[in-house]
Amino acid sequence: MAAGDLVLITGASGHVGFRVLVFALQAGYRARVAVRSQAKADDILATASIKALNSGSNISFVIVPDILAEGAYDDAVQGVTYVIHCASPLTTNITEDFENKIIRPALRGTTGILESATKTAGIKRVVITSSIVATMPVTEMFAESGTVFDGQMKVPFNPGPYQAAFDAYCDSKVRALAATHDFVAQKSPEFEVINIMPSFVFGKNELVTRVDDFAKGTNHLVFNQILGVKNQLPLPGNTVYLDDVATVHVRSLDPSIPGNQDYLATSGGVEGNVFSDAIDIVNKNFPDAVKQGILPNNGTQPTSKCLADASRTEKVFGFTFTGLEKQVTELAQNYLDLVAAKG
């Protein structure tokens, strides 16, 4: 990395994208952040991490109001050396019209930024936030079949209609990954492309400033049981620490990391984690909050054992993914801090 190289980051108003922005600034990059509105930029600038890192010249913003528009990112990519594309719709509060609210934004956002990147010279790498679900059939997530997934499986498209938002989300990631592979194969761009495939991402979301909004994003999947929610539907025990996901994204800009590759990001070894272990973790680390009822810690979240092997990623990047205990304790402390701030 040359000192002060400029990287375009999309999705920085989201859980993963914001942490990627923080880590990119900490690593010495200059960041141009694509947001949909000035209000999103203001929210990012108001955070403690960005205030501490903002030198006045190392972060700028570009408004991209409609990522579906032709050439939406054409202006945003001008003059950058790298692109980290984290923007993609989640399933929160989406109950209908999955094609237009999930599939098209995910697919067009990815292909659009790749197309824009080919229109300007000097871009070396594009890093894309994919997902473990892009390389793992939905049925296998709950089947406990014993198949080990390593991020290399080609998953067929779901022809629809989608039964739920999660089905559409999974298919959006499958289609975006396939489109990325096709783009590289057919266009042979001057830049390299890396796909990062996280499992369920847990970690403090600094953009959440009210305890009432704590359940935004994926954090609620592990933390609802801490708040007393009794969920009967098993979830795959594949989880990953937010900071590790951000680290892998930013480190992927380093030319020593092999390009045109897909990297799985998940913790707990091949067998993953067990969601109910979070109850013991909270009892051990926050006994007073449990006794006082601030953390009821009496819910349930069953786990389905879905085998995933991220050892290749760990070897390439030179670290071991952080376990469930750190993921849960960070969330619990974050929750207690928000409760205290609310008074």
Side-chain angles (χ1 to χ4, degrees):
M1 182 197 82
D5 277 348
L6 181 60
V7 54
L8 172 68
I9 301 176
T10 75
S13 59
H15 192 198
V16 170
F18 176 79
R19 203 64 181 153
V20 168
L21 169 61
V22 170
F23 277 38
L25 293 173
Q26 289 176 342
Y29 293 97
R30 291 181 297 127
R32 178 183 295 160
V33 183
V35 291
R36 297 198 181 195
S37 66
Q38 184 59 46
K40 295 291 188 183
D42 293 341
D43 288 343
I44 292 169
L45 289 169
T47 61
S49 290
I50 299 302
K51 285 181 178 179
L53 290 165
N54 187 356
S55 69
S57 61
N58 63 344
I59 182 171
S60 60
F61 293 87
V62 58
I63 307 297
V64 181
D66 182 10
I67 66 173
L68 296 178
E70 188 71 25
Y73 290 109
D74 283 1
D75 292 338
V77 299
Q78 295 300 314
V80 307
T81 306
Y82 305 103
V83 175
I84 302 181
H85 178 56
C86 300
S88 190
L90 294 174
T91 60
T92 307
N93 299 324
I94 298 178
T95 58
E96 59 182 0
D97 197 13
F98 301 137
E99 182 70 30
N100 288 313
K101 292 181 179 178
I102 297 177
I103 301 293
R104 288 185 66 230
L107 185 56
R108 184 56 194 158
T110 299
T111 58
I113 205 161
L114 289 170
E115 290 166 1
S116 292
T118 63
K119 299 176 184 178
T120 185
I123 294 179
K124 296 179 179 179
R125 279 200 172 171
V126 176
V127 179
I128 299 172
T129 309
S130 181
S131 170
I132 193 173
V133 303
T135 185
M136 181 186 295
V138 175
T139 53
E140 290 286 342
M141 297 178 198
F142 307 96
E144 298 193 344
S145 66
T147 302
V148 179
F149 298 93
D150 62 0
Q152 305 305 306
M153 176 181 280
K154 306 293 184 184
V155 177
F157 296 164
N158 182 340
Y162 305 109
Q163 299 302 308
F166 183 68
D167 295 330
Y169 171 78
C170 292
D171 197 45
S172 77
K173 290 299 188 181
V174 171
R175 290 173 184 268
L177 179 65
T180 301
H181 289 164
D182 288 345
F183 182 91
V184 172
Q186 295 168 13
K187 303 288 186 181
S188 298
E190 294 182 358
F191 53 82
E192 295 177 313
V193 178
I194 289 178
N195 291 286
I196 306 301
M197 301 170 159
S199 55
F200 291 129
V201 181
F202 300 144
K204 177 181 177 179
N205 186 347
E206 195 176 341
L207 292 167
V208 172
T209 57
R210 302 187 319 130
V211 69
D212 295 342
D213 297 329
F214 186 78
K216 283 186 175 180
T218 54
N219 282 336
H220 74 280
L221 296 176
V222 71
F223 207 73
N224 273 354
Q225 61 184 321
I226 310 304
L227 298 178
V229 177
K230 299 184 185 300
N231 186 16
Q232 303 305 315
L233 178 67
L235 291 173
N238 313 107
T239 79
V240 64
Y241 182 40
L242 173 63
D243 284 10
D244 288 349
V245 177
T247 294
V248 172
H249 277 77
V250 176
R251 284 277 315 283
S252 290
L253 304 182
D254 187 328
S256 69
I257 301 297
N260 292 329
Q261 300 285 320
D262 304 330
Y263 294 108
L264 198 63
T266 192
S267 68
V270 171
E271 295 202 353
N273 298 301
V274 177
F275 278 96
S276 60
D277 286 350
I279 299 292
D280 293 333
I281 291 169
V282 169
N283 279 330
K284 180 179 72 173
N285 290 278
F286 303 94
D288 292 341
V290 174
K291 289 177 183 177
Q292 295 166 15
I294 303 172
L295 297 175
N297 208 34
N298 57 1
T300 55
Q301 178 52 68
T303 302
S304 62
K305 185 179 291 187
C306 188
L307 307 182
D309 183 3
S311 60
R312 173 173 163 270
T313 305
E314 293 180 327
K315 182 177 180 180
V316 169
F317 287 84
F319 76 100
T320 301
F321 285 107
T322 305
L324 185 66
E325 179 150 359
K326 176 63 175 178
Q327 299 168 34
V328 171
T329 54
E330 181 172 296
L331 283 181
Q333 188 59 60
N334 183 206
Y335 181 83
L336 293 174
D337 290 344
L338 290 173
V339 169
K342 183 177 180 180

